[in-house]
Amino acid sequence: MPSAQPNRPGAASSEDRRPAANPWKVDLRELGRRAGSLHEIERTAPAPGDWRVELIGVPESAEVRVRLRLESVMEGVLVTGELDVPVVGSCARCLEPIEDTLSLDVQELYAYSGSTTEATSEEDEVRRVEGDFLDLEPLARDTVVLSLPLAPVCTDDCGGLCVGCGQRVDDLPADHTHEVTDPRWAALADRFASSPDTPGESTTPEEN
């Protein structure tokens, strides 16, 4: 039985060639560094649990559809494409459940270590290539969270809730009203309501 051949110096092992286990990470070795090289990816990746604002967000582990084009440029890797993201939440006016899918455009330059862009940018101003990989999750998170409305509505003309009974205005008849008593007369109205006598009527029987 022939003995196993040792790895040649500089040769990539089978372990190195495996795709990243994290679907948000992209292996750049197929793209290379030659300016103008293109690589397209289309996949689904699970959403982390912090993609949300107060009333709406992406359910944890929901499938996010990723369609991106990676282009090798002199300074790094230019990423452009779209994300399709499911969101759930509550209407800010009537509190009804909301379900929707956002289609968001992305465009971002990931700078190579030692590039002019990397050297002349602050730490939080530019995203960086990490070895042979791109981590797309921070880019996706920022894109999604910044696109979420702070006051989502189920419809643009949602009437909200009735201040008198708390029911959804759009579900009530058009003539729905509540009698409103001036608070300055409320005590007097309660007094008359609790009196057993009817104003104007005698409380004693008439004598013949």
Side-chain angles (χ1 to χ4, degrees), residues 61-186:
S61 299
E63 288 192 348
V64 179
R65 188 173 182 83
V66 179
R67 297 189 302 276
L68 299 175
R69 185 178 76 166
L70 280 58
E71 181 179 358
S72 181
V73 296
M74 293 296 295
E75 294 294 303
V77 178
L78 180 64
V79 177
T80 57
E82 293 181 342
L83 304 174
D84 292 335
V85 188
V87 294
V88 297
S90 301
C91 176
R93 297 177 187 170
C94 69
L95 305 182
E96 282 290 297
I98 295 175
E99 292 188 18
D100 200 1
T101 299
L102 303 180
S103 293
L104 306 174
D105 294 330
V106 294
Q107 182 173 35
E108 191 77 13
L109 174 66
Y110 284 74
Y112 291 133
S113 176
S115 66
T116 302
T117 300
E118 195 256 2
T120 58
S121 302
E122 297 295 332
E123 183 70 26
D124 58 350
E125 289 181 345
V126 64
R127 302 184 194 277
R128 291 168 170 78
V129 176
E130 301 174 0
D132 292 323
F133 294 90
L134 288 187
D135 187 358
L136 298 173
E137 192 275 327
L139 169 62
R141 180 191 184 281
D142 290 350
T143 302
V144 172
V145 173
L146 291 175
S147 300
L148 295 175
L150 296 178
V153 291
C154 54
T155 60
D156 290 340
D157 58 351
C158 173
L161 299 177
C162 174
V163 297
C165 62
Q167 297 187 61
R168 190 168 181 264
V169 170
D170 293 344
D171 296 334
L172 298 172
D175 59 351
H176 176 77
T177 59
H178 293 276
E179 183 178 353
V180 179
T181 303
D182 191 320
R184 294 172 295 179
W185 298 100

Side-chain angles (χ1 to χ4, degrees), residues 8 10-20 27 29-30 133:
R8 299 188 308 275
S13 68
S14 59
E15 184 71 21
D16 293 332
R17 294 182 180 276
R18 290 180 185 174
D27 191 334
R29 284 172 289 191
E30 293 184 21
F133 294 90

Side-chain angles (χ1 to χ4, degrees), residues 19-30:
N22 182 350
W24 287 109
K25 286 196 171 185
V26 178
D27 191 334
L28 295 177
R29 284 172 289 191
E30 293 184 21

Side-chain angles (χ1 to χ4, degrees), residues 31-53:
L31 177 66
R33 289 203 174 193
R34 185 170 61 85
S37 297
L38 298 175
H39 179 56
E40 294 184 349
I41 62 172
E42 184 169 343
R43 64 179 63 169
T44 58
D50 60 345
W51 290 13
R52 64 176 305 102
V53 291

